[in-house]
Amino acid sequence: MSLSPTAPTAPTAPGATAVTAPAVTAPVRALALSLPAGRLPAYLYDLGALREHADAVRRALPPRVELYYAAKANPEPEILTALSPYVDGFEVSSGGELAHVAAAVPGRPLAFGGPGKTPAETAAALAAGVARFHVESAHELRVLAALAAERPAPGPPVEVLPRFNLPLSAGALHTSALSMGGRPTPFGLDPSEAGEVMRHLTGGSCPGLRVRGIHAHLASGLGAADQVAVAESVVDWAVRLFERHGAPLHEVNIGGGMAVDYADPAARFDWAGYGAGLARLVAAHPDLRLRVEPGRALTAYCGWYATEVLDVKRSHGEDFAVVRGGTHHLRTPAAKGHDQPCAVLPVAHWPHRWPRPAARGDSVTVAGQLCTPKDVLARGVPAPGLRAGDRVVFALAGAYAWNISHHGFLMHPRPGFHFLGG
Ligand SMILES: *Cc1c(COP(=O)(O)O)cnc(C)c1O
């Protein structure tokens, strides 16, 4: 075997990528090609595209459905600011998120959820005047009741939604990528505790609290029809629970988890179908407000991770492209076990005095710079003639991407961050 790199046999046609390759938006393509190699990898956020998408989501939902953004999907301040006009508020799941979101979008309503709230976090949330507490356990309820009663200047009662781990219908369970409901999990209250919790909340033993309804975030990755079916069964359960306790049901939070299809980057959750289903549901319950709190399906599409091919080589019959960066910046494919959709942007110019490595086959495995076989961003990427120096842009990198990644591993430099259309 010769050690000299193989010259590309096929021209690197821009259309050479697979049907699942994303359509790179014009501002993202332009910046991904114009940034000098030393400023890659970089996260490119298309805020114009984000605003358009959020506007369409808001318009698809009926008026009595409130839209909250689950900040944990991507809490970059620019993202929160761009979303702010289109959402009714933000769901935060830690004291850190609470402080961060309150500073980034001051004055916007916050709902405080998440398991394992510390007493200090609960006290901070009370002091910040958060609009809703999603209570995850009987213990959390007791801590919240005690701290609410001790507030130095007690205002109106604290609005509480106990979160319940309700059984999912069999149909919904089949399609759900990540189910949190109806099986043993650390999330929410067991439905068997509902009676006792409601007696506490309605019987005068928690004077600082008012139960508005319930919360249920049961699954991630559901399509619109399944989401509507889950919402109907959650509302039905809540109506019967509140009737049994003679309490008015004002609100049901049906969570997030709207599907993002990483295998088909052009696909979108059917927000119109979902909105129509929720409109039927609220029409049947004239005094009820619904709330949804998506994360992934709001911000996944606006984020791109752009990088440069450093090396191309063949190993036991398979072509590998090694790019700057990797899963320590974009952990999503490793966390979810998928191929991150990507587009190759060929670069004609090769500024170096050494030869330019190129792929021999029709497809490559795109790996990062980490010394672990898990550092694979995408397999089977159609890229005949791919060469070092070409650029690769990964789509659907706007949610659970940078902020869930293990940045410190191997001490490579951090990516750049660019907010386009800000
Ligand atoms: C993570 C989470 C969400 C958002 O889920 P997505 O799948 O990103 O839509 C909403 N509510 C709760 C309670 C969550 O934990």
Side-chain angles (χ1 to χ4, degrees):
M1 186 194 151
S2 153
L3 279 178
S4 67
T6 316
T9 48
T12 45
T17 46
V19 279
T20 52
V24 185
T25 62
V28 167
R29 173 181 293 267
L31 188 58
L33 284 169
S34 65
L35 280 173
R39 292 185 60 198
L40 293 172
Y43 268 97
L44 314 183
Y45 292 109
D46 191 335
L47 296 181
L50 175 62
R51 284 193 204 93
E52 252 176 60
H53 178 58
D55 187 39
V57 169
R58 177 62 266 179
R59 284 167 193 277
L61 297 173
R64 251 188 306 135
V65 176
E66 293 184 350
L67 175 63
Y68 269 52
Y69 171 59
K72 78 172 189 280
N74 186 333
E76 295 291 342
E78 290 86 349
I79 298 270
L80 300 175
T81 304
L83 281 174
S84 190
Y86 306 102
V87 299
D88 298 287
F90 295 85
E91 191 263 349
V92 297
S93 288
S94 72
E97 282 191 353
L98 174 72
H100 172 84
V101 176
V105 279
R108 296 312 314 276
L110 302 180
F112 186 31
K117 297 177 190 72
T118 67
E121 286 176 316
T122 298
L126 284 168
V130 313
R132 300 283 183 283
F133 281 81
H134 302 161
V135 173
E136 297 260 349
S137 73
H139 168 69
E140 266 193 14
L141 183 60
R142 288 189 288 269
V143 173
L144 178 60
L147 294 175
E150 290 163 9
R151 282 177 298 170
V158 174
E159 305 282 3
V160 171
L161 302 184
R163 175 179 180 179
F164 286 104
N165 176 358
L166 301 177
L168 275 175
S169 71
L173 261 182
H174 285 135
T175 53
S176 161
L178 195 68
S179 135
M180 266 94 37
R183 61 185 180 85
T185 73
F187 307 116
L189 288 139
D190 194 82
S192 65
E193 294 177 284
E196 199 188 332
V197 162
M198 286 299 288
R199 277 192 293 281
H200 269 299
L201 282 167
T202 58
S205 61
C206 306
L209 310 184
R210 177 162 60 205
V211 61
R212 273 189 76 79
I214 70 156
H215 177 283
H217 171 69
L218 298 175
S220 211
L222 291 187
D226 286 336
Q227 280 277 8
V228 171
V230 170
E232 282 167 349
S233 63
V234 169
V235 167
D236 191 53
W237 188 86
V239 165
R240 284 184 284 122
L241 176 69
F242 277 64
E243 268 172 15
R244 277 203 298 282
H245 291 270
L249 176 67
H250 299 290
E251 184 176 309
V252 174
N253 184 319
I254 48 181
M258 294 73 182
V260 167
D261 187 350
Y262 288 88
D264 183 1
R268 294 291 180 273
F269 181 79
D270 177 13
W271 287 103
Y274 183 57
L278 295 188
R280 286 192 299 276
L281 186 52
V282 288
H285 300 280
D287 300 324
L288 185 65
R289 255 168 206 287
L290 290 182
R291 186 178 284 180
V292 297
E293 46 182 34
R296 190 186 305 273
L298 281 179
T299 54
Y301 306 103
C302 76
W304 302 80
Y305 180 65
T307 186
E308 181 204 26
V309 177
L310 289 172
D311 198 354
V312 183
K313 59 186 175 182
R314 201 164 177 86
S315 175
H316 295 271
E318 185 176 335
D319 280 337
F320 283 82
V322 181
V323 297
R324 285 182 193 259
T327 53
H328 52 304
H329 297 163
L330 174 60
R331 187 166 168 265
T332 324
K336 286 186 70 75
H338 65 218
D339 296 311
Q340 196 72 21
C342 62
V344 174
L345 308 181
V347 171
H349 184 59
W350 177 250
H352 307 294
R353 61 188 182 279
W354 43 83
R356 187 174 186 181
R360 288 195 241 165
D362 287 337
S363 70
V364 298
T365 294
V366 183
Q369 293 174 287
L370 302 183
C371 310
T372 159
K374 294 189 177 169
D375 190 21
V376 170
L377 294 161
R379 292 191 160 81
V381 176
L386 178 83
R387 294 183 288 182
D390 287 344
R391 304 265 158 113
V392 182
V393 194
F394 291 89
L396 273 52
Y400 305 107
W402 165 251
N403 69 319
I404 66 157
S405 304
H406 45 298
H407 311 146
F409 189 40
L410 260 88
M411 303 179 76
H412 285 292
R414 298 203 158 205
F417 287 85
H418 303 269
F419 297 88
L420 310 173

